[in-house]
Amino acid sequence: KMVDPTLAEMGKNLNEAMKMLEDNQRKVEEENEKKYARKDIPGPLQGSGQDMVSILQLVQNLMHGEEEEETSQSYRLQNVGEQGHMALLGHSLAAYISVLDRERLRKLTTRILSDTTLWLCRLFRYENGSAYYHEDDREGLLKICRLVIHTRYEDYTLEGFNVLYTKQPVIYISSAARTGLGQALCNQLGLPLSCMCRVPCNTMFGSQHQMDVALLDRLIKDDVESGKLPLLLVANAGTPGAGHTDKLGRLKELCEQYKMWLHVEGVNLATLALGYVSSSILAATKCDSMTLTLGSWLGLPAVPAVTLYRHEDPSLSLAAGLTSSQPVEKLRALPLWLSLQYLGHDGIVERIKHASQLSQRLLENLKNLDFIKTSVEDELSSPVVVFKFFQEYSNRDQTSHAAQASSIQHPVISNEGHIYDTFNQWLGEQLAQLVPASGVDVVELEDEGMCVRFSPLMTSAVLGTEIQDIDQLVDCLKMKIPVLTSTLQLREEFEQEVRRTVGLLYIEDLGWPGLGVVRYNYHSDGKNDDKQEKELEKINTELLKKLNELESDLTFSLGPEFGGQKNCVYIGMVTEDLDVSELVETIAATGREIEENSRLLENMTEVVRKGIQEAQLQLQKANEERLLEEGLLRQIPVVGSVLNWFSPFQASPKGRTFNLTAGSLESTESMYVSKAQGTGSTPPPTPTSSLAKQRLPGQKAFKRSLRNSDGFSETSSISHCDDLDKLDQRPPNLSPGQEQGPLEMERAEEQREVASAKTDTEDIHSDKLPPDCTKAEDQASQR
């Protein structure tokens, strides 16, 4: 068949452009040019035009950015794929088709629009429907509202808003609807906010994310009695937060009773294309209109949303803006027309089915995890899975479906609720970072607080989520649950330890996901507030530095960038083997050491100045004494040299050393003597805490040793044998003429006790000890 050369060239150029834009590898010459050329600064339009390659290269640079890291470039753009190329080709074709003559354009746009509408109505079980294609997903609902106003107010076309004074229209939306939806509708329609009625959700029976039908009925009756006109009801087939579906069957009966229009939107509408559809979702096919967002469901970029509706009067549809006489506006469906043909019916159903299988796989794994609560509407088919961490989960009743659906409950204590919100937000961020292909995010629900949400219909087609990604997500969740439980259990113990420790101040920060926040209190001596604040900041900053230098698994930081407390040490998540008392003791001891050093440095200037003055006076006095000892003749230049040659004068050097610790001057004679004899004193060892001394080899800081385990008993037995060898290799006791001090007597007593313990336990440990340890005991006994 003959192919239009323009269409062939367009497809070729699009393929070349996509290859160039998707290529993240840049040449060295281009990188060097970018260092000196500021492409992000707007400049004048060049007089001579540029070729397509240069323009596309500029677009690529603007898309990828110059300052971003290469590791994040792979996640910057979604995997478009061939079906995405078809959607992008549709935009190019729309521009080309718009230049055809009017008759050809009318025939082509009519065919594209009718085909796409027919396919979508059959695919989503919506019989005898019309379609409106729009870029903003709220625009379809806006046009439907105008259509209903034109239908219920017959004189609206002539008199406009004046007819609304007689009967004020009322639009009902759920409290679980999208944020700002009601206000946006009122602003676009020119209606006051009093025309918008928010219907609360269930509080006692059923899902807490479903609209309360009984309460809605009472609200409608009250509005009718007050002279208002119930106009339209917006229901959800998958709420934006939890993904629950309203009782569409009962809502449809209520709308027919009061002659209201029922509009449905939500992610669960995608399951209408599957072979098995739940009855709650299937009821959406009887509604008056519904909005479909096929771009996110099928992973198609730049395709419009579709609003399917049923209405018999085409003139009112034209007046409301749902249809247009301009053929160019009908070309909005062209990208979707091309993509649907490329995927086919089986490809579309397979993508939606794959997303449902992903959510079902995650839900089955979450049921087997302790401390994890789920909130799903239907365990057999739930496209959206919402879960959260809660420690009392294993003690709850999990038998009935109603208990499962309403299992997430906000804690009674407000502080506990804030802590769980913080922990669940941290959990969601960690899972999204560790498994980016899963597409999980954090959502805040009205009654449950912060939860982790998995909505594969909105993300899987774009991110390419597979079953192994779900398994990896569950594995990461299993690793994080012990950390969350341990941190939550040790949080109160840490607070008590800090409050009992002198010099430390516990800072309550419910928004910090970790063990807690502590501040070292600086003991000021009548200093002003500014100086005290600086000293406090200096000490806590140095304390944070010292703690990070320790070999431990803990993370110490200054806290969040915004909203955190100043001059504090934030401690992150911990494990169950954390020794809280050792941690608090180390923080307090390190803080005291830093404070003492800080005070020493404060007094150093004055002490050094006085010491220098005293040293100058002593050196001047020593110089005068040396002149008196040498005599006057030795000071004469020539005579002094001859006299010193015949009779040298022996004078010992008398220098001065300044002791910073004592703040006093001392003679250097003792230093010279000690250096000559080679018996210099060794500096005292750095003091360490008793808990640090008991640490086993290879054990990190702040870890409790498992003393009841078998491994520890074997290690202690081996070390016991080594201690016996060391005791036997000690030098003999003092001679009878020497007296033993209290310390020597205590050591001798310890040796006798160890020897007796060795004799008593030799038979007991002979079978359990390793051969090397037994051999060491035999040698010790022979000696």
Side-chain angles (χ1 to χ4, degrees):
K1 297 180 180 180
M2 296 296 295
V3 180
D4 190 344
T6 306
L7 293 179
E9 185 67 20
M10 184 183 304
K12 179 181 177 181
N13 292 339
L14 178 64
N15 290 332
E16 294 179 355
M18 292 304 301
K19 290 181 181 179
M20 183 176 297
L21 293 178
E22 291 176 353
D23 184 15
N24 292 337
Q25 301 297 332
R26 306 174 187 177
K27 298 181 181 180
V28 179
E29 295 80 8
E30 295 172 350
E31 293 181 353
N32 295 333
E33 291 176 1
K34 288 198 307 177
K35 293 180 180 179
Y36 303 101
R38 299 295 301 274
K39 301 292 185 179
D40 53 341
I41 299 179
L45 181 63
Q46 297 184 7
S48 58
Q50 302 184 43
D51 56 356
M52 185 182 66
V53 177
S54 301
I55 297 175
L56 291 178
Q57 184 64 46
L58 174 61
V59 174
Q60 179 188 359
N61 295 337
L62 294 176
M63 288 169 57
H64 295 295
E66 300 180 6
E67 71 282 354
E68 298 181 7
E69 299 180 358
E70 296 180 358
T71 56
S72 62
Q73 291 179 1
S74 58
Y75 304 104
R76 197 173 302 121
L77 294 177
Q78 72 178 65
N79 186 15
V80 178
E82 291 294 334
Q83 74 280 357
H85 288 183
M86 296 301 297
L88 300 178
L89 180 61
H91 292 274
S92 302
L93 284 176
Y96 173 68
I97 293 174
S98 63
V99 301
L100 297 177
D101 59 89
R102 188 174 184 83
E103 185 62 23
R104 290 186 178 182
L105 180 61
R106 184 186 62 81
K107 291 181 179 180
L108 182 57
T109 54
T110 303
R111 173 63 183 275
I112 293 173
L113 194 63
S114 60
D115 283 351
T116 310
T117 303
L118 178 62
W119 298 338
L120 293 177
C121 288
R122 289 184 177 179
L123 187 64
F124 294 98
R125 307 169 188 255
Y126 198 81
E127 299 177 355
N128 302 323
S130 302
Y132 172 65
Y133 303 89
H134 46 92
E135 302 297 334
D136 189 357
D137 54 358
R138 296 178 300 183
E139 187 179 354
L141 177 57
L142 176 63
K143 301 294 185 181
I144 292 296
C145 292
R146 290 178 178 173
L147 174 62
V148 179
I149 292 176
H150 279 280
T151 304
R152 299 299 301 273
Y153 295 92
E154 297 179 356
D155 298 333
Y156 183 77
T157 306
L158 299 176
E159 299 183 10
F161 63 90
N162 291 323
V163 299
L164 304 180
Y165 285 118
T166 57
K167 283 189 175 182
Q168 180 179 343
V170 182
I171 300 175
Y172 301 89
I173 63 173
S174 172
S175 59
R178 287 180 291 173
T179 305
L181 178 61
Q183 184 176 2
L185 291 177
C186 291
N187 293 338
Q188 294 297 325
L189 296 173
L191 298 177
L193 293 178
S194 58
C195 294
M196 192 62 56
C197 178
R198 293 180 61 87
V199 183
C201 295
N202 297 323
T203 55
M204 297 182 62
F205 302 101
S207 171
Q208 296 184 355
H209 302 279
Q210 290 180 347
M211 192 183 304
D212 192 338
V213 182
L215 182 57
L216 173 63
D217 190 9
R218 292 197 298 267
L219 292 175
I220 295 176
K221 288 181 179 179
D222 295 341
D223 291 336
V224 172
E225 294 176 357
S226 60
K228 298 180 180 180
L229 180 63
L231 198 66
L232 180 139
L233 172 64
V234 182
N236 292 305
T239 55
H244 289 202
T245 302
D246 293 326
K247 299 176 181 179
L248 301 179
R250 295 184 57 188
L251 293 178
K252 179 59 180 177
E253 296 175 358
L254 196 63
C255 289
E256 291 178 351
Q257 178 182 352
Y258 293 99
K259 298 180 181 180
M260 296 172 56
W261 186 284
L262 178 60
H263 178 81
V264 182
E265 61 181 18
V267 67
N268 293 350
L269 292 175
T271 59
L272 289 172
L274 301 178
Y276 169 78
V277 185
S278 62
S279 58
S280 59
I281 303 296
L282 192 60
T285 59
K286 304 300 181 182
C287 66
D288 298 302
S289 61
M290 64 170 65
T291 298
L292 310 175
T293 55
L294 298 171
S296 57
W297 298 350
L298 305 178
L300 303 176
V303 297
V306 185
T307 296
L308 302 179
Y309 65 96
R310 296 189 185 98
H311 199 265
E312 298 178 355
D313 193 347
S315 62
L316 295 182
S317 300
L318 180 62
L322 289 170
T323 58
S324 176
S325 59
Q326 299 295 328
V328 178
E329 294 188 7
K330 298 180 181 180
L331 290 175
R332 292 179 180 176
L334 182 57
L336 193 57
W337 183 71
L338 295 174
S339 301
L340 293 179
Q341 291 185 86
Y342 182 84
L343 291 174
H345 183 276
D346 296 339
I348 297 172
V349 174
E350 183 62 29
R351 292 199 172 210
I352 298 176
K353 183 179 179 181
H354 176 67
S356 301
Q357 291 175 349
L358 292 177
S359 60
Q360 190 66 22
R361 179 65 172 266
L362 177 61
L363 185 58
E364 292 175 356
N365 286 278
L366 292 179
K367 293 177 183 178
N368 302 324
L369 297 181
D370 294 334
F371 311 118
I372 293 296
K373 289 180 162 185
T374 58
S375 175
V376 293
E377 184 180 12
D378 188 359
E379 296 183 3
L380 298 178
S381 59
S382 179
V384 181
V385 179
V386 176
F387 62 94
K388 69 178 297 184
F389 165 76
F390 194 68
Q391 198 164 5
E392 297 179 0
Y393 178 77
S394 58
N395 299 328
R396 298 281 184 92
D397 184 13
Q398 309 174 25
T399 56
S400 63
H401 165 68
Q404 178 71 16
S406 60
S407 57
I408 300 180
Q409 297 293 336
H410 202 67
V412 179
I413 305 176
S414 58
N415 288 351
E416 185 180 359
H418 287 299
I419 294 175
Y420 277 111
D421 288 346
T422 302
F423 277 36
N424 281 285
Q425 183 175 2
W426 176 85
L427 176 62
E429 293 173 354
Q430 289 291 312
L431 294 178
Q433 182 179 1
L434 295 174
V435 193
S438 64
V440 295
D441 60 349
V442 180
V443 60
E444 183 177 6
L445 302 180
E446 183 176 358
D447 296 327
E448 294 85 353
M450 290 293 182
C451 300
V452 183
R453 178 179 58 185
F454 176 64
S455 181
L457 278 171
M458 301 298 294
T459 59
S460 63
V462 175
L463 300 176
T465 310
E466 298 295 339
I467 294 294
Q468 53 267 26
D469 296 324
I470 303 303
D471 297 338
Q472 184 182 0
L473 180 68
V474 175
D475 293 339
C476 294
L477 185 59
K478 291 179 180 178
M479 293 189 299
K480 297 300 179 182
I481 289 177
V483 177
L484 290 170
T485 55
S486 302
T487 305
L488 193 61
Q489 292 173 358
L490 297 176
R491 193 178 176 105
E492 183 178 357
E493 180 182 352
F494 175 75
E495 178 181 355
Q496 296 176 358
E497 287 288 341
V498 171
R499 294 188 185 279
R500 287 196 297 262
T501 304
V502 180
L504 296 182
L505 178 64
Y506 180 81
I507 305 298
E508 186 175 9
D509 191 350
L510 301 178
W512 172 248
L515 184 64
V517 186
V518 65
R519 175 188 296 163
Y520 183 81
N521 257 348
Y522 175 69
H523 303 285
S524 60
D525 299 332
K527 298 181 179 179
N528 54 26
D529 295 339
D530 295 339
K531 190 172 183 181
Q532 182 179 355
E533 187 72 17
K534 292 180 180 179
E535 292 292 337
L536 184 64
E537 179 181 2
K538 181 180 178 181
I539 292 177
N540 283 276
T541 303
E542 185 66 21
L543 175 61
L544 176 63
K545 181 180 178 182
K546 294 287 186 182
L547 293 176
N548 284 323
E549 292 176 356
L550 299 176
E551 294 183 1
S552 67
D553 295 332
L554 301 182
T555 56
F556 304 93
S557 64
L558 293 175
E561 184 177 0
F562 303 102
Q565 297 286 338
K566 294 183 178 180
N567 305 328
C568 296
V569 177
Y570 285 75
I571 306 174
M573 293 289 179
V574 299
T575 54
E576 61 180 354
D577 57 351
L578 174 69
D579 194 335
V580 178
S581 59
E582 180 186 356
L583 173 61
V584 176
E585 180 183 349
T586 303
I587 295 176
T590 307
R592 287 192 295 267
E593 181 182 356
I594 296 173
E595 181 182 3
E596 293 174 358
N597 294 338
S598 177
R599 290 188 175 183
L600 179 61
L601 291 176
E602 289 179 1
N603 301 328
M604 188 66 65
T605 304
E606 184 67 21
V607 173
V608 169
R609 186 182 63 82
K610 293 181 178 180
I612 292 175
Q613 293 178 355
E614 184 178 356
Q616 290 177 349
L617 294 176
Q618 293 186 10
L619 290 176
Q620 183 178 2
K621 183 178 180 180
N623 192 23
E624 294 176 355
E625 293 178 354
R626 183 179 62 82
L627 292 177
L628 294 177
E629 292 179 1
E630 292 179 356
L632 182 59
L633 293 178
R634 294 182 183 272
Q635 309 305 321
I636 301 175
V638 179
V639 178
S641 300
V642 175
L643 186 58
N644 289 333
W645 183 75
F646 282 106
S647 176
F649 180 77
Q650 300 293 335
S652 61
K654 296 181 180 180
R656 296 292 185 271
T657 178
F658 185 70
N659 191 341
L660 295 178
T661 304
S664 60
L665 286 174
E666 300 177 358
S667 176
T668 58
E669 294 181 0
S670 59
M671 181 183 301
Y672 293 142
V673 172
S674 62
K675 286 186 178 181
Q677 296 178 355
T679 59
S681 59
T682 58
T686 304
T688 58
S689 63
S690 59
L691 294 174
K693 292 181 181 179
Q694 298 175 1
R695 192 179 306 150
L696 298 176
Q699 181 182 0
K700 293 188 177 182
F702 317 127
K703 295 289 185 181
R704 288 199 303 265
S705 58
L706 304 178
R707 299 183 179 274
N708 295 330
S709 62
D710 298 336
F712 184 86
S713 61
E714 295 177 0
T715 306
S716 60
S717 301
I718 296 174
S719 60
H720 179 68
C721 298
D722 296 339
D723 294 339
L724 292 177
D725 292 341
K726 293 179 181 179
L727 289 174
D728 293 336
Q729 294 176 3
R730 287 185 177 181
N733 296 333
L734 298 176
S735 59
Q738 295 176 339
E739 296 182 359
Q740 294 182 343
L743 182 59
E744 286 76 11
M745 295 176 64
E746 181 178 356
R747 291 180 178 175
E749 184 68 21
E750 290 180 358
Q751 291 181 6
R752 288 192 295 270
E753 291 178 359
V754 171
S756 61
K758 169 189 171 183
T759 305
D760 296 337
T761 60
E762 182 176 1
D763 296 335
I764 299 176
H765 294 283
S766 59
D767 297 334
K768 298 183 180 180
L769 293 179
D772 295 339
C773 187
T774 308
K775 182 178 179 181
E777 286 190 350
D778 295 339
Q779 294 177 358
S781 60
Q782 292 176 4
R783 287 196 298 269

